[in-house]
Amino acid sequence: MKRVVYPRAGGIETIQIVEEQDPVPKSGQVCVSIHRAGVNFADLMMRQGLYGSSPDFPFTPGYEAAGVVIGLGEGVDSVKKGDRVLAMTGFGGYSEMVCLDARRVVPIPDSVSFDQAAAIPVTYGTAFHMLVHLGMISEGETVLVHHAAGGVGTAVSQICEAFGASLVVGTASASKKDFVESLGMRFVDREKEDFVKVCNEMTGGRGVHHAIDPVGGSHLLRSYKSLRKGGKLYYFGASAAVKGQKRSRLSELRMWWGMPRFDPLGLMSSNKAVFGVHMGLLEDDSIFKGHLASLSGMLQEGKIDPVIDSVWRFEKVAEAQMHIHNRKNRGKVLLDFSPK
Ligand SMILES: NC(=O)c1ccc[n+]([C@@H]2O[C@H](COP(=O)([O-])OP(=O)(O)OC[C@H]3O[C@@H](n4cnc5c(N)ncnc54)[C@H](OP(=O)(O)O)[C@@H]3O)[C@@H](O)[C@H]2O)c1
């Protein structure tokens, strides 16, 4: 079987595809033949050596994948050979086959495609965690989201619609205006418009209820300023530290330098909340499993439906990642590992 490997920190030229013996499931494990693996912005940051919680190099990235069970280790009876499943790989999903703990494998209904299954966990799981679990979003509330056309951004727009949000302000690159508007969001050109001003104008000067910021640096303070009293800010990424496909120490420094220090007295007197969110470091697995169960229900009721930007054969993994580096994706990018 083949798998993608990051041998060391670097640009896309460092990515390797290695061939090795098929893995054999150990006791308690399931072996899955992968058909689709999700590509996340975090995978690009890991490749650059910018992601604190990734394994030591060399390693195979890939948080999420969907495929078919082809082997069972001793004691596994939760799934059987031939079942279509979602594999919560943690790492290692960019692979033709993967063996993992049976508890990290969830059967998927026939009505759910491999594309949909591989596109949901990270993006929708994160959006659901912020808006529903932490934020308890309710009808009529207003939301600001950045990278609105991307994986998490499109998930946020659908979850907001499902929960009856009255306004979603979405920032993105200028070329994505029509796409963002087609999702029902108020588009803001991330380079030319001031999103703080737009949020204020659109809410009669009060600000939004929820601001979702994966950018960091001084951008985070502006997201905080877009909030109304009682509003909630979710901080969950560091895209400001990424400039192009190679690591940029200057961008990292700028981001850290610009990070706001929130004043607890200011938070208290405005009843605002600031949440830090890292889905890979949740203490309690059952929280995420609960989100997945809720999302599966929403998918089957037609309340969510992942927007797939593109599916790339895994040999083109570098091009797929460049597509995201170049800010071209509209929705989720997937890798195709299905057997030929
Ligand atoms: N903490 C967590 O648990 C967690 C989980 C999931 C995702 N995240 C974070 O959420 C963000 C979105 O993730 P995603 O996987 O859904 O990615 P994505 O939004 O599908 O793709 C990346 C998009 O981000 C924008 N962008 C901003 N800065 C960029 C840069 N320096 N280089 C390239 N693109 C840049 C681009 O859109 P525009 O130019 O149109 O803005 C690009 O299309 C990322 O920062 C990611 O790390 C965090």
Side-chain angles (χ1 to χ4, degrees):
M1 69 131 194
K2 290 180 179 159
R3 67 184 169 98
V4 174
V5 174
Y6 291 168
R8 60 183 186 284
I12 53 158
E13 74 287 349
T14 58
I15 300 176
Q16 293 177 355
I17 293 176
V18 299
E19 184 147 21
E20 58 194 30
Q21 281 205 326
D22 294 354
V24 177
K26 296 185 187 126
S27 172
Q29 283 192 331
V30 171
C31 188
V32 179
S33 161
I34 304 292
H35 285 238
R36 292 287 187 273
V39 180
N40 290 290
F41 194 76
D43 304 342
L44 281 55
M45 296 183 72
M46 285 175 206
R47 198 200 64 240
Q48 298 183 343
L50 267 175
Y51 205 80
S53 55
S54 57
D56 291 338
F57 292 99
F59 69 94
T60 294
Y63 275 132
E64 56 198 348
V68 177
V69 174
I70 52 168
L72 301 171
E74 206 184 303
V76 176
D77 57 10
S78 50
V79 286
K80 58 183 188 320
K81 280 189 191 176
D83 280 355
R84 299 168 72 252
V85 292
L86 167 67
M88 299 302 309
T89 42
F91 294 96
Y94 282 24
S95 194
E96 282 185 311
M97 287 174 203
V98 73
C99 288
L100 73 170
D101 192 312
R103 287 169 297 189
R104 300 186 72 93
V105 169
V106 185
I108 52 175
D110 289 345
S111 58
V112 174
S113 68
F114 288 131
D115 284 7
Q116 289 174 313
I120 282 189
V122 175
T123 52
Y124 284 82
T126 307
F128 191 91
H129 186 72
M130 293 188 284
L131 285 168
V132 184
H133 180 78
L134 298 174
M136 294 185 287
I137 187 170
S138 56
E139 214 169 305
E141 290 193 333
T142 51
V143 178
L144 164 69
V145 62
H146 303 289
H147 311 344
V152 176
T154 51
V156 162
S157 79
Q158 292 183 4
I159 288 172
C160 284
E161 193 179 339
F163 281 82
S166 62
L167 168 74
V168 182
V169 175
T171 75
S173 292
S175 61
K176 299 172 185 168
K177 180 174 189 291
D178 291 349
F179 176 72
V180 170
E181 287 177 350
S182 76
L183 297 170
M185 293 186 259
R186 162 62 165 88
F187 172 79
V188 173
D189 181 329
R190 50 176 285 277
E191 284 192 337
K192 295 204 178 116
E193 277 182 278
D194 176 0
F195 64 80
V196 184
K197 195 164 159 240
V198 174
C199 285
N200 273 305
E201 281 169 5
M202 299 291 295
T203 56
R206 298 187 70 192
V208 294
H209 293 86
H210 307 267
I212 297 181
D213 192 313
V215 182
S218 56
H219 194 272
L220 191 59
L221 187 58
R222 293 174 58 220
S223 292
Y224 181 78
K225 287 183 175 163
S226 306
L227 287 178
R228 66 173 54 205
K229 286 189 173 169
K232 296 164 186 167
L233 172 65
Y234 312 86
Y235 174 57
F236 70 113
S239 63
V242 181
K243 190 174 166 52
Q245 54 107 2
K246 295 217 163 128
R247 188 169 184 168
S248 158
R249 301 275 178 192
L250 188 60
S251 300
E252 280 172 62
L253 269 177
R254 272 207 194 111
M255 189 198 75
W256 291 117
W257 190 252
M259 279 287 198
R261 308 279 180 266
F262 292 104
D263 166 22
L265 286 174
L267 289 170
M268 180 179 75
S269 53
S270 59
N271 277 298
K272 288 183 181 174
V274 181
F275 294 100
V277 172
H278 191 318
M279 299 306 287
L281 297 177
L282 280 183
E283 292 272 303
D284 181 356
D285 267 4
S286 68
I287 295 177
F288 188 69
K289 282 192 173 159
H291 298 349
L292 270 188
S294 303
L295 288 164
S296 164
M298 289 173 75
L299 181 67
Q300 289 180 69
E301 288 165 27
K303 290 183 175 162
I304 56 168
D305 186 11
V307 180
I308 309 298
D309 170 85
S310 49
V311 182
W312 306 68
R313 192 69 196 154
F314 72 90
E315 291 89 347
K316 297 210 177 283
V317 54
E319 284 99 316
Q321 292 199 352
M322 271 319 288
H323 184 65
I324 301 178
H325 276 303
N326 290 333
R327 300 173 179 263
K328 292 208 169 127
N329 67 303
R330 290 164 170 76
K332 185 81 182 180
V333 175
L334 298 170
L335 295 177
D336 174 8
F337 282 95
S338 54
K340 285 256 168 185

